[in-house]
Structure formats: C-alpha cells, structure tokens
Amino acid sequence: MFRSDRSQWLLLATAAVSRFGGGVLMGTAMAVYVGREGSPLAVSAVATAYFAGLMLASPVWGAVADVTGRGRAVMIVTGTLATLAAAPLAVADGVWLPVGLRGLYAVFAAGFAPVALAIASERGGESGRGRSLGTFNSARSGGFAGGQFAAGILLGAVARPELYLVVAGLSAVSTVAAAALVDPGPPGGTEGAVVADGGAGPADADDRPTRTELAREVRARLFPAAGDRGHYRTNGLRWLYVALAVRNVTVLGVMALMAPYLVDIVGVAEAVMGALLAVNHGTQVAAMYLLGVAADRVGRKPLIVAGMTGSGAFAVLTAAATVPGATVGVLGVAGPTWLGTGLARVLAAGGALFVLGVSFSAMTTGAVAFIGDVAPAGRESELMGLRSTAKGLGGVVGPTLVGGVATLAGYPAAFALASTLAFAAAGLAGLALVESRPTGASGVPADD
C-alpha cells in the first residue's frame, strides 16, 4: 500500500518530524520548568540525561538492526517504549524524576536515527548519498523547528501535564509511520528481505540469529578485537568521531542553557524564545538539502571543517547577545540608540542561531555522507549509531561543563570559553580526515 518511493519518503519524513519534534519539545519545556526551580547546573542535567541515554543506546540499536536485518522492528519496538517512557511526565513532579524519565526516553528514542539514516543513505547510493541524507535531515530539522516553536506557544498556553501528553502523542505518531516503512533488509542484503511482522520474509528463517548469537555479535561490534578495528581507520573515521564529540561539547553545552538564557538573561518573552530557537532548525530545513547537494559536488571534508568552525562562531555570537552595542556592531548597523536594546539583543541571538543552523547543516551532511561512504557492508546503522554516541558524549560533558562555568562566571563567559573547543575540533578534522567522496576512474566525482 505504501511501497512507492514517494510514499516511503513521506513516511520517513513523517516519522522524523514527529520523533525529533516531540523530543525537542520535551527538552525545551523541561529546561524552562527546571530552570524555574533550580540552578543552571540543574538545567544542564536535562540535556545530560538525554545525551547519556543517546550515547549508551545508539550504537546498540544500530548494531542490533544491522545484525538482524530488522531495522523496522527496531524502530517499532524502541518507538513504543519511548512513548511509554514519555507518558509518565504528565504526572511527574519536582526536578529529578522528570530528568530521569528524560534519560529513559532517550535510551529508546535512540533506536530511530541510526536505522533511519541508514535507510536514507542506501536510497541515495554512492552518487546521491549526500542529497538523500540532506532530504532526510531537512525533515528532521523541520521537526526540531516545529518543536521549538511549539514549545514557546505551549509553555504559555497549557499546563505541564497537557504539554507532556503532546510529546507522548508525537512519539506514537512517529512509531506508526515507521511501522509502515519497508524494512531496510539484512546486512548487505536487499530491501524488505527480513520482516517478521508482516513484510517479506527471509529466504531461510534459520538464517536469523538466536538471542545468544545476537548478543555475542552485538558485543563483538561494540567492543571489537584488535584485528577488527580497521574500518575505524578508513579515511580517518575514528578522528571524525573524536572531532564530533569535542565540537558537541561546545554546542550542546551552550544549547542546554539557551532557553533560560534567552528568557532570564537576554530578556525575551517565552513566545519570542520559542521563535528564536526555531531559527536554528528552520534554517536547517533548507540548508540541509542544499548542503547535501553540495556534499556530492565539493566533498564531505570541507563541509565538516566549515561546520565545526561555524559552531565556534555561534558560541561567540551567543555570548555577545547580552552586549547590545557589540552585537549591533557585529550585525553591521548603526547602533542601539535607534534600534533599541531589546530588539538589538533579539537580532543578535537570532543571528547566532542562524549561524548555528547553517554550520550544523554543513557538518551533519558532510559527516553522515562520510560515514556512509566508508562504512563496510552490513555496518552502516552501527556506524551511524556511533555518530550519535559521539554526540551523546559531547552532550553529557558539555552541559555539565558549560553549566558549571555559567554558575560560577555567568553565561557569556561560559559560552565564550566553550567556543575554543569547537575551533579545536575543526582543526582536528582538517588535519586528520581524508576526503571520502566516491570518484570515477578519471578522478572526477562519480555524479558529475
């Protein structure tokens, strides 16, 4: 019924928009709620809990999908469990119980991205991988933008229980959409080859691994022996993960504090805060696709390096949002006397988030295409999951580090200090990565 290419893309986009939209709605609302009851360090725990779950669970779900060839089943099971983890937030009080539920939600929500990215990558093939991944990430960013914007509206319009029920509902929508996808198939196999829950079955049911075999293979992939680590050295892949983790300390540390920073320090209303946060992901909707096309034409490495450099610039510009004269100068207008301090700060914060949107799009499209290029057959979901682990590591360290510095020295100083790590990550990527874009025999891009 939904097996045409257009229907599959629509289902994948729907699943991405609802999954990531619900997740960011939960995180933004929880940061504001916790910020009203605790310190910046407590706010940072909201992000730390989420990224801890992401870091630990993403490679596991990716490896399970690759080993079993049942990526759709992974998305259905984890999506259902994520919905069940989000629902109790409607009755949870205090600070630490919601934070714990946020972490549990992340453990299950982490099962979506590795499989979905692998599906999008396979649909693009070698010549169109960047474009295909850019299309998927545009939908993903649309969900983020919608979630941020909805957070600003719902925070002032509904009570806390109703808001969290919206989150659970979006998680359920994502799971239903994922259930209608064609399974990506077995390792190195074809679409739809292994689906025990209604799709095409395997050629031989005995080929499915037992639970013991599955556990053994997943463990071997997550903790490979010395002789089974060669794929991490391909084109400097291991250094990509390191650079992503370091860059994410900067951006995820800053973004963990962004909602209370905008409301309490920059001084914007909650609805304006939601609109400003949506600038980042709204920018990504177009930038992801355009830069995905660019990744197929100019290569993966230039986008990765540029994106990480821009991430450092974002942190610096965000720190400057509390100094109207300085930010107006950066924006290139006459000064705050006619513009107004409040509007100057809004424009500065919006400009910083626009820079982040473009930078993140460049880095993400370059990185996921790079991973798709070098991943061995049957290991793409696993290696996409390790990208989420690198993000999760940055998300665990960054909010705690930046939140701690902000508690002692204030938000602007913490953001400026954090920017140095993103610049360092850009330098590492520039030195350690080898371009991975497939080329023809003549050395020109295969799709030119």
Side-chain angles (χ1 to χ4, degrees):
M1 180 178 179
F2 297 110
R3 290 183 174 264
S4 71
D5 187 64
R6 177 173 295 182
S7 295
Q8 288 293 297
W9 270 114
L10 180 60
L11 288 166
L12 189 59
T14 300
V17 167
S18 49
R19 170 62 59 202
F20 296 110
V24 78
L25 171 60
M26 177 198 291
T28 303
M30 193 178 292
V32 172
Y33 292 144
V34 171
R36 290 170 178 168
E37 301 180 24
S39 68
L41 192 58
V43 175
S44 72
V46 174
T48 299
Y50 177 80
F51 287 110
L54 197 71
M55 175 181 67
L56 296 173
S58 289
V60 176
W61 296 126
V64 169
D66 282 337
V67 172
T68 63
R70 300 173 68 188
R72 184 178 70 165
V74 169
M75 288 193 286
I76 294 170
V77 171
T78 57
T80 300
L81 293 173
T83 303
L84 295 176
L89 286 168
V91 295
D93 292 323
V95 171
W96 298 111
L97 179 57
V99 167
L101 289 170
R102 171 77 164 158
L104 182 62
Y105 168 86
V107 167
F108 302 126
F112 178 79
V115 179
L117 284 166
I119 293 173
S121 178
E122 290 174 6
R123 286 190 173 278
E126 287 190 0
S127 63
R129 179 171 285 119
R131 188 194 311 268
S132 182
L133 287 165
T135 300
F136 170 80
N137 281 319
S138 290
R140 178 180 182 171
S141 298
F144 280 130
Q148 297 283 25
F149 188 75
I153 295 174
L154 293 177
L155 278 167
V158 302
R160 187 184 306 194
E162 284 79 6
L163 189 149
Y164 284 136
L165 287 177
V166 172
V167 172
L170 288 171
S171 179
V173 169
S174 176
T175 304
V176 171
L181 287 169
V182 172
D183 199 274
T190 59
E191 277 188 347
V194 183
V195 184
D197 49 359
D204 184 352
D206 292 336
D207 290 340
R208 298 174 185 169
T210 65
R211 292 181 181 179
T212 301
E213 292 169 339
L214 175 61
R216 184 186 303 119
E217 178 63 19
V218 169
R219 184 170 59 250
R221 288 177 178 232
L222 298 179
F223 304 100
D228 192 30
R229 301 174 188 167
H231 56 290
Y232 292 118
R233 293 190 290 271
T234 304
N235 293 64
L237 175 62
R238 57 183 174 176
W239 296 115
L240 173 62
Y241 291 130
V242 173
L244 288 170
V246 173
R247 175 267 180 194
N248 284 323
V249 171
T250 295
V251 173
L252 298 179
V254 173
M255 288 302 293
L257 304 177
M258 186 61 76
Y261 173 68
L262 290 174
V263 173
D264 300 329
I265 307 301
V266 177
V268 304
E270 290 174 344
V272 176
M273 175 270 294
L276 283 172
L277 292 177
V279 169
N280 170 26
H281 299 298
T283 300
Q284 292 174 27
V285 173
M288 284 288 189
Y289 177 77
L290 295 174
L291 290 169
V293 174
D296 290 333
R297 296 187 176 275
V298 304
R300 316 331 188 180
K301 180 177 175 179
L303 296 183
I304 295 170
V305 174
M308 291 180 176
T309 302
S311 298
F314 151 74
V316 173
L317 291 170
T318 301
T322 56
V323 186
T327 53
V328 171
V330 170
L331 291 169
V333 297
T337 56
W338 62 270
L339 192 59
T341 298
L343 182 57
R345 289 186 171 193
V346 168
L347 291 176
L353 288 160
F354 174 81
V355 169
L356 177 61
V358 175
S359 301
F360 178 77
S361 299
M363 183 194 73
T364 299
T365 52
V368 294
F370 185 102
I371 294 169
D373 292 338
V374 304
R379 305 198 77 155
E380 193 165 358
S381 293
E382 170 197 346
L383 296 182
M384 291 293 186
L386 283 175
R387 170 184 163 272
S388 294
T389 295
K391 182 176 181 179
L393 180 60
V396 168
V397 175
T400 303
L401 177 63
V402 179
V405 175
T407 300
L408 297 174
Y411 288 93
F415 295 168
L417 181 63
S419 71
T420 60
L421 294 175
F423 292 131
L428 175 61
L431 291 172
L433 299 185
V434 177
E435 179 57 56
S436 65
R437 177 181 51 160
T439 58
S442 62
V444 299
D447 59 328
D448 281 5

PDB file of all heavy atoms in Angstrom, residues 25 83 86-91 154 158-172:
ATOM      1  N   LEU A  25      10.591  19.354  21.851  1.00  0.00           N
ATOM      2  CA  LEU A  25       9.529  19.979  22.655  1.00  0.00           C
ATOM      3  C   LEU A  25       9.687  19.572  24.118  1.00  0.00           C
ATOM      4  O   LEU A  25       9.612  20.408  25.030  1.00  0.00           O
ATOM      5  CB  LEU A  25       8.160  19.557  22.124  1.00  0.00           C
ATOM      6  CG  LEU A  25       6.940  19.950  22.967  1.00  0.00           C
ATOM      7  CD1 LEU A  25       6.851  21.466  23.131  1.00  0.00           C
ATOM      8  CD2 LEU A  25       5.656  19.408  22.330  1.00  0.00           C
ATOM      9  N   THR A  83       7.474   6.080  23.774  1.00  0.00           N
ATOM     10  CA  THR A  83       6.154   6.652  24.074  1.00  0.00           C
ATOM     11  C   THR A  83       5.739   6.340  25.503  1.00  0.00           C
ATOM     12  O   THR A  83       5.245   7.200  26.233  1.00  0.00           O
ATOM     13  CB  THR A  83       5.108   6.102  23.092  1.00  0.00           C
ATOM     14  OG1 THR A  83       5.517   6.394  21.749  1.00  0.00           O
ATOM     15  CG2 THR A  83       3.745   6.715  23.344  1.00  0.00           C
ATOM     16  N   ALA A  86       7.635   8.519  27.932  1.00  0.00           N
ATOM     17  CA  ALA A  86       7.262   9.936  27.951  1.00  0.00           C
ATOM     18  C   ALA A  86       5.954  10.180  28.689  1.00  0.00           C
ATOM     19  O   ALA A  86       5.773  11.236  29.315  1.00  0.00           O
ATOM     20  CB  ALA A  86       7.147  10.465  26.520  1.00  0.00           C
ATOM     21  N   ALA A  87       5.029   9.235  28.647  1.00  0.00           N
ATOM     22  CA  ALA A  87       3.698   9.449  29.224  1.00  0.00           C
ATOM     23  C   ALA A  87       3.710   9.788  30.711  1.00  0.00           C
ATOM     24  O   ALA A  87       2.958  10.663  31.157  1.00  0.00           O
ATOM     25  CB  ALA A  87       2.823   8.221  28.956  1.00  0.00           C
ATOM     26  N   PRO A  88       4.550   9.157  31.545  1.00  0.00           N
ATOM     27  CA  PRO A  88       4.521   9.486  32.986  1.00  0.00           C
ATOM     28  C   PRO A  88       4.928  10.914  33.315  1.00  0.00           C
ATOM     29  O   PRO A  88       4.684  11.375  34.441  1.00  0.00           O
ATOM     30  CB  PRO A  88       5.527   8.483  33.590  1.00  0.00           C
ATOM     31  CG  PRO A  88       5.586   7.359  32.627  1.00  0.00           C
ATOM     32  CD  PRO A  88       5.410   7.991  31.290  1.00  0.00           C
ATOM     33  N   LEU A  89       5.540  11.631  32.390  1.00  0.00           N
ATOM     34  CA  LEU A  89       5.894  13.025  32.651  1.00  0.00           C
ATOM     35  C   LEU A  89       4.657  13.868  32.955  1.00  0.00           C
ATOM     36  O   LEU A  89       4.756  14.916  33.603  1.00  0.00           O
ATOM     37  CB  LEU A  89       6.644  13.611  31.455  1.00  0.00           C
ATOM     38  CG  LEU A  89       8.090  13.149  31.277  1.00  0.00           C
ATOM     39  CD1 LEU A  89       8.622  13.571  29.911  1.00  0.00           C
ATOM     40  CD2 LEU A  89       8.975  13.699  32.384  1.00  0.00           C
ATOM     41  N   ALA A  90       3.507  13.429  32.487  1.00  0.00           N
ATOM     42  CA  ALA A  90       2.272  14.177  32.735  1.00  0.00           C
ATOM     43  C   ALA A  90       1.925  14.245  34.214  1.00  0.00           C
ATOM     44  O   ALA A  90       1.207  15.150  34.641  1.00  0.00           O
ATOM     45  CB  ALA A  90       1.115  13.550  31.954  1.00  0.00           C
ATOM     46  N   VAL A  91       2.446  13.309  35.015  1.00  0.00           N
ATOM     47  CA  VAL A  91       2.132  13.306  36.448  1.00  0.00           C
ATOM     48  C   VAL A  91       3.373  13.427  37.316  1.00  0.00           C
ATOM     49  O   VAL A  91       3.282  13.410  38.546  1.00  0.00           O
ATOM     50  CB  VAL A  91       1.356  12.028  36.833  1.00  0.00           C
ATOM     51  CG1 VAL A  91       0.001  11.996  36.151  1.00  0.00           C
ATOM     52  CG2 VAL A  91       2.151  10.775  36.488  1.00  0.00           C
ATOM     53  N   LEU A 154       3.166  26.595  23.653  1.00  0.00           N
ATOM     54  CA  LEU A 154       2.505  25.724  24.622  1.00  0.00           C
ATOM     55  C   LEU A 154       2.905  26.047  26.059  1.00  0.00           C
ATOM     56  O   LEU A 154       2.113  25.848  26.981  1.00  0.00           O
ATOM     57  CB  LEU A 154       2.823  24.265  24.312  1.00  0.00           C
ATOM     58  CG  LEU A 154       2.234  23.724  23.002  1.00  0.00           C
ATOM     59  CD1 LEU A 154       2.683  22.291  22.767  1.00  0.00           C
ATOM     60  CD2 LEU A 154       0.711  23.803  23.016  1.00  0.00           C
ATOM     61  N   VAL A 158      -0.768  26.018  27.888  1.00  0.00           N
ATOM     62  CA  VAL A 158      -1.308  24.813  28.503  1.00  0.00           C
ATOM     63  C   VAL A 158      -0.522  24.492  29.766  1.00  0.00           C
ATOM     64  O   VAL A 158       0.589  24.980  29.981  1.00  0.00           O
ATOM     65  CB  VAL A 158      -1.249  23.600  27.542  1.00  0.00           C
ATOM     66  CG1 VAL A 158      -2.009  23.874  26.264  1.00  0.00           C
ATOM     67  CG2 VAL A 158       0.189  23.218  27.238  1.00  0.00           C
ATOM     68  N   ALA A 159      -1.096  23.660  30.598  1.00  0.00           N
ATOM     69  CA  ALA A 159      -0.426  23.213  31.816  1.00  0.00           C
ATOM     70  C   ALA A 159       0.623  22.156  31.470  1.00  0.00           C
ATOM     71  O   ALA A 159       0.617  21.565  30.391  1.00  0.00           O
ATOM     72  CB  ALA A 159      -1.447  22.653  32.795  1.00  0.00           C
ATOM     73  N   ARG A 160       1.489  21.909  32.431  1.00  0.00           N
ATOM     74  CA  ARG A 160       2.582  20.955  32.212  1.00  0.00           C
ATOM     75  C   ARG A 160       2.086  19.570  31.799  1.00  0.00           C
ATOM     76  O   ARG A 160       2.640  18.968  30.858  1.00  0.00           O
ATOM     77  CB  ARG A 160       3.436  20.864  33.484  1.00  0.00           C
ATOM     78  CG  ARG A 160       4.687  20.032  33.314  1.00  0.00           C
ATOM     79  CD  ARG A 160       5.469  19.885  34.617  1.00  0.00           C
ATOM     80  NE  ARG A 160       5.784  21.168  35.222  1.00  0.00           N
ATOM     81  CZ  ARG A 160       6.677  21.325  36.191  1.00  0.00           C
ATOM     82  NH1 ARG A 160       7.345  20.273  36.653  1.00  0.00           N
ATOM     83  NH2 ARG A 160       6.900  22.521  36.704  1.00  0.00           N
ATOM     84  N   PRO A 161       1.071  18.980  32.431  1.00  0.00           N
ATOM     85  CA  PRO A 161       0.641  17.635  32.014  1.00  0.00           C
ATOM     86  C   PRO A 161       0.210  17.560  30.552  1.00  0.00           C
ATOM     87  O   PRO A 161       0.563  16.614  29.843  1.00  0.00           O
ATOM     88  CB  PRO A 161      -0.527  17.341  32.966  1.00  0.00           C
ATOM     89  CG  PRO A 161      -0.264  18.185  34.166  1.00  0.00           C
ATOM     90  CD  PRO A 161       0.333  19.441  33.633  1.00  0.00           C
ATOM     91  N   GLU A 162      -0.577  18.559  30.111  1.00  0.00           N
ATOM     92  CA  GLU A 162      -1.050  18.537  28.724  1.00  0.00           C
ATOM     93  C   GLU A 162       0.112  18.644  27.742  1.00  0.00           C
ATOM     94  O   GLU A 162       0.115  18.004  26.684  1.00  0.00           O
ATOM     95  CB  GLU A 162      -2.050  19.671  28.489  1.00  0.00           C
ATOM     96  CG  GLU A 162      -3.428  19.417  29.071  1.00  0.00           C
ATOM     97  CD  GLU A 162      -3.489  19.660  30.574  1.00  0.00           C
ATOM     98  OE1 GLU A 162      -2.481  20.131  31.149  1.00  0.00           O
ATOM     99  OE2 GLU A 162      -4.537  19.378  31.186  1.00  0.00           O
ATOM    100  N   LEU A 163       1.122  19.449  28.082  1.00  0.00           N
ATOM    101  CA  LEU A 163       2.272  19.592  27.187  1.00  0.00           C
ATOM    102  C   LEU A 163       2.992  18.259  27.015  1.00  0.00           C
ATOM    103  O   LEU A 163       3.352  17.862  25.895  1.00  0.00           O
ATOM    104  CB  LEU A 163       3.225  20.661  27.733  1.00  0.00           C
ATOM    105  CG  LEU A 163       4.368  21.094  26.801  1.00  0.00           C
ATOM    106  CD1 LEU A 163       4.741  22.545  27.044  1.00  0.00           C
ATOM    107  CD2 LEU A 163       5.603  20.214  26.982  1.00  0.00           C
ATOM    108  N   TYR A 164       3.187  17.554  28.098  1.00  0.00           N
ATOM    109  CA  TYR A 164       3.901  16.278  28.003  1.00  0.00           C
ATOM    110  C   TYR A 164       3.063  15.204  27.318  1.00  0.00           C
ATOM    111  O   TYR A 164       3.618  14.277  26.718  1.00  0.00           O
ATOM    112  CB  TYR A 164       4.344  15.827  29.389  1.00  0.00           C
ATOM    113  CG  TYR A 164       5.539  16.595  29.916  1.00  0.00           C
ATOM    114  CD1 TYR A 164       5.568  17.049  31.227  1.00  0.00           C
ATOM    115  CD2 TYR A 164       6.636  16.859  29.108  1.00  0.00           C
ATOM    116  CE1 TYR A 164       6.664  17.753  31.717  1.00  0.00           C
ATOM    117  CE2 TYR A 164       7.727  17.560  29.588  1.00  0.00           C
ATOM    118  CZ  TYR A 164       7.746  18.003  30.894  1.00  0.00           C
ATOM    119  OH  TYR A 164       8.830  18.698  31.372  1.00  0.00           O
ATOM    120  N   LEU A 165       1.747  15.309  27.390  1.00  0.00           N
ATOM    121  CA  LEU A 165       0.908  14.373  26.637  1.00  0.00           C
ATOM    122  C   LEU A 165       1.047  14.607  25.135  1.00  0.00           C
ATOM    123  O   LEU A 165       0.964  13.657  24.339  1.00  0.00           O
ATOM    124  CB  LEU A 165      -0.550  14.507  27.080  1.00  0.00           C
ATOM    125  CG  LEU A 165      -0.879  13.941  28.464  1.00  0.00           C
ATOM    126  CD1 LEU A 165      -2.339  14.213  28.823  1.00  0.00           C
ATOM    127  CD2 LEU A 165      -0.581  12.439  28.524  1.00  0.00           C
ATOM    128  N   VAL A 166       1.261  15.863  24.740  1.00  0.00           N
ATOM    129  CA  VAL A 166       1.545  16.152  23.329  1.00  0.00           C
ATOM    130  C   VAL A 166       2.834  15.451  22.901  1.00  0.00           C
ATOM    131  O   VAL A 166       2.925  14.878  21.816  1.00  0.00           O
ATOM    132  CB  VAL A 166       1.645  17.673  23.095  1.00  0.00           C
ATOM    133  CG1 VAL A 166       2.144  17.961  21.678  1.00  0.00           C
ATOM    134  CG2 VAL A 166       0.300  18.342  23.324  1.00  0.00           C
ATOM    135  N   VAL A 167       3.853  15.485  23.778  1.00  0.00           N
ATOM    136  CA  VAL A 167       5.113  14.800  23.483  1.00  0.00           C
ATOM    137  C   VAL A 167       4.891  13.312  23.260  1.00  0.00           C
ATOM    138  O   VAL A 167       5.382  12.716  22.284  1.00  0.00           O
ATOM    139  CB  VAL A 167       6.123  15.028  24.628  1.00  0.00           C
ATOM    140  CG1 VAL A 167       7.372  14.166  24.418  1.00  0.00           C
ATOM    141  CG2 VAL A 167       6.511  16.498  24.715  1.00  0.00           C
ATOM    142  N   ALA A 168       4.141  12.677  24.153  1.00  0.00           N
ATOM    143  CA  ALA A 168       3.870  11.247  24.019  1.00  0.00           C
ATOM    144  C   ALA A 168       3.091  10.951  22.738  1.00  0.00           C
ATOM    145  O   ALA A 168       3.342   9.953  22.053  1.00  0.00           O
ATOM    146  CB  ALA A 168       3.092  10.748  25.237  1.00  0.00           C
ATOM    147  N   GLY A 169       2.145  11.841  22.395  1.00  0.00           N
ATOM    148  CA  GLY A 169       1.380  11.648  21.164  1.00  0.00           C
ATOM    149  C   GLY A 169       2.250  11.716  19.921  1.00  0.00           C
ATOM    150  O   GLY A 169       2.090  10.920  18.988  1.00  0.00           O
ATOM    151  N   LEU A 170       3.187  12.658  19.893  1.00  0.00           N
ATOM    152  CA  LEU A 170       4.098  12.764  18.747  1.00  0.00           C
ATOM    153  C   LEU A 170       4.983  11.531  18.635  1.00  0.00           C
ATOM    154  O   LEU A 170       5.274  11.051  17.532  1.00  0.00           O
ATOM    155  CB  LEU A 170       4.952  14.021  18.883  1.00  0.00           C
ATOM    156  CG  LEU A 170       4.216  15.346  18.654  1.00  0.00           C
ATOM    157  CD1 LEU A 170       5.109  16.526  19.042  1.00  0.00           C
ATOM    158  CD2 LEU A 170       3.791  15.481  17.190  1.00  0.00           C
ATOM    159  N   SER A 171       5.418  11.000  19.767  1.00  0.00           N
ATOM    160  CA  SER A 171       6.212   9.773  19.747  1.00  0.00           C
ATOM    161  C   SER A 171       5.412   8.621  19.154  1.00  0.00           C
ATOM    162  O   SER A 171       5.935   7.807  18.377  1.00  0.00           O
ATOM    163  CB  SER A 171       6.667   9.433  21.166  1.00  0.00           C
ATOM    164  OG  SER A 171       7.413   8.236  21.189  1.00  0.00           O
ATOM    165  N   ALA A 172       4.129   8.548  19.492  1.00  0.00           N
ATOM    166  CA  ALA A 172       3.276   7.485  18.944  1.00  0.00           C
ATOM    167  C   ALA A 172       3.092   7.640  17.442  1.00  0.00           C
ATOM    168  O   ALA A 172       3.110   6.653  16.689  1.00  0.00           O
ATOM    169  CB  ALA A 172       1.923   7.507  19.652  1.00  0.00           C
TER     170      ALA A 172
END
